[in-house]
Amino acid sequence: MRDLATAPEQEGPAAETSRPVVIGWGRQDRLCLPRQSARAMGAFPSARLHWFEKCGHFPMWDQPEETIQLILDETDT
């Protein structure tokens, strides 16, 4: 946690992308608290926020089927 808080800020993806941005957030995430989603949406105002219920920091572990379906739906696969 200390490294995440004190390390240099990382470069992220460009604000505008050729594909829609979807931010998936676990309602029980204890690392990136749900209230921090407002900051993420501020960084990517055109993004869509998807809430994973009964899920912590790793939706692919806590809700694997929902994670797969979200990816397939958003990529039109």
Side-chain angles (χ1 to χ4, degrees):
M1 278 296 258
R2 185 177 305 146
D3 287 345
L4 288 173
T6 61
E9 205 169 303
Q10 295 181 357
E11 296 287 326
E16 298 297 322
T17 66
S18 61
R19 300 288 303 192
V21 173
V22 178
I23 299 172
W25 213 293
R27 292 262 187 215
Q28 285 77 41
D29 194 330
R30 293 183 179 183
L31 183 60
C32 295
L33 302 176
R35 68 177 180 258
Q36 294 171 309
S37 64
R39 183 174 181 193
M41 294 304 295
F44 298 94
S46 63
R48 184 172 73 82
L49 180 60
H50 177 85
W51 286 105
F52 287 94
E53 303 296 331
K54 298 180 184 173
C55 182
H57 190 67
F58 296 104
M60 61 281 206
W61 293 348
D62 297 340
Q63 299 292 340
E65 293 85 11
E66 185 178 354
T67 302
I68 291 167
Q69 192 60 55
L70 177 63
I71 293 168
L72 292 174
D73 289 349
E74 294 301 326
T75 59
D76 295 324
T77 305

